[in-house]
Amino acid sequence: QHGCRSSMTATRPLIGRLAPSPTGLLHLGHARSFLLAWWSARSRGGGMVLRMEDLDGPRVKPAMIDAALRDLDWLGLDWDGPWLLQSSGLERLRAAVDRLTDSGALYPCVCSRGDLRAQLSAPQQGDVEPRYPGTCLGRFESLDVARAESGRDASLRFRVPTGAVTINDGFAEAASFDVQAEVGDFMVARRDGTPAYQLAVVVDDAHQGVTEVLRGDDLLPSAARQWHLQHALGLAHPTFVHVPLVVDGSGRRFAKRADDLSLAELRARGVDPRAIVSWAARSAGLEVPKRPTARAVLPAFTLERLPRTQVRLSADDLAMLMSSK
């Protein structure tokens, strides 16, 4: 069993990151996660970098990049140096794919989503990701051979080692994941050659010197996949900090696709961003003034006070925010 330690070596400076995806408008759940990530790093004198993760094909909306930048500035968050547009580093990402290919860690796969659904013995419910059964493992020598023999463009999958990885999270309890048993060999490059999310995150976190990744706990299973890729590429493991998500009054998770109340909409209505900062700080167990700036919260911040349950945004909370003009 492998382990991922939550502490960093003294030789690596603390650097956190903000990494929005420009596939829709940011909402209050994003605001809380970004504020927590910023407070966690800045309160300890750490650096902060910004990356726009724009590799999600047709779902990416360029106007959302400008909207996200305005949202972050409106909340009072800053970062060090120029921000990184992920698609501008395709050469770097593809070099990592080549390294993994040369080491034998990847193999071509011509299976479509329909193929994989057809192979399942039982239907999947909700957002459960079906395990890849290894259909193309050992089938093709190269992408060119896969294309010639199947008539399809091939993606590339990572040969996941057997055994569990334990993520000793900086906030959540230690959790073990057997990625091979639970997910199987996952995709790291799409059929069009675009690097997939898991690989891009790993390579760009290393490129930007990120040592702490604070994000929603829905991404905790991804940490184990990223651990495997970091190990295969010889990259240092960051500290992972996974925090509970924000849900609405009915317990439903906030989501871009559900048109939840966006930060852009709140801004357009004249909402005071300090009210959002105050709500996020109080939801993190901090005692703060009624209308603090993000920077004013830094002396009070500590992860130890953060509740371990989901944060419910009540009707009263929303009314308080909407009245803060």
Side-chain angles (χ1 to χ4, degrees), residues 165 167 177 179 186 219-229 240:
V165 168
I167 304 298
F177 300 91
V179 179
F186 57 87
L219 291 172
L220 182 54
S222 284
R225 301 178 216 183
Q226 291 160 18
W227 190 98
H228 278 300
L229 290 174
F240 290 107

Side-chain angles (χ1 to χ4, degrees), residues 220-264:
L220 182 54
S222 284
R225 301 178 216 183
Q226 291 160 18
W227 190 98
H228 278 300
L229 290 174
Q230 288 154 355
H231 183 73
L233 288 166
L235 302 175
H237 304 296
T239 299
F240 290 107
V241 182
H242 291 89
V243 299
L245 297 175
V246 177
V247 296
D248 65 15
S250 64
R252 181 180 64 92
R253 172 187 166 188
F254 275 65
K256 292 176 182 175
R257 62 182 177 273
D259 295 324
D260 290 297
L261 201 59
S262 67
L263 299 184

Side-chain angles (χ1 to χ4, degrees), residues 129-142:
E129 180 179 357
R131 179 183 180 275
Y132 178 69
T135 308
C136 289
L137 179 61
R139 185 176 171 190
F140 307 110
E141 291 183 4
S142 67

Side-chain angles (χ1 to χ4, degrees), residues 258-277:
D259 295 324
D260 290 297
L261 201 59
S262 67
L263 299 184
E265 173 70 12
L266 294 172
R267 190 170 67 246
R269 293 189 187 188
V271 167
D272 188 338
R274 296 175 302 170
I276 297 175
V277 170

